[in-house]
Amino acid sequence: MRRLELLRVEHRDLDSAIAALIDAGGSDQMQIARLKKRKLRLRDEISTLEDALVPDIIA
């Protein structure tokens, strides 16, 4: 659970950093792209951890 919360915080921080770079003129498109890719990897890891916490229920 702690790992999941840390990933969520990092995901939100990346969102803020991306928005700040874009608002500042977005001149460094490579850095913005790297941050977006990192954010997507975090989202995937968060989803994986959340899926592991929820038991499979066969209807």
Side-chain angles (χ1 to χ4, degrees):
M1 289 300 281
R2 179 75 179 137
R3 173 80 176 138
L4 187 58
E5 185 58 34
L6 290 173
L7 290 173
R8 287 179 178 151
V9 168
E10 186 176 353
H11 188 267
R12 282 190 299 266
D13 290 346
L14 281 173
D15 200 30
S16 298
I18 291 167
L21 281 173
I22 291 172
D23 289 345
S27 60
D28 192 357
Q29 293 299 318
M30 289 296 288
Q31 182 168 357
I32 292 172
R34 282 191 298 271
L35 291 176
K36 285 182 177 182
K37 284 182 182 180
R38 172 72 179 143
K39 186 177 166 190
L40 287 172
R41 283 192 300 269
L42 285 173
R43 187 185 71 195
D44 290 344
E45 191 173 347
I46 289 168
S47 293
T48 301
L49 288 173
E50 287 175 339
D51 289 346
L53 291 175
V54 177
D56 290 336
I57 299 174
I58 299 173

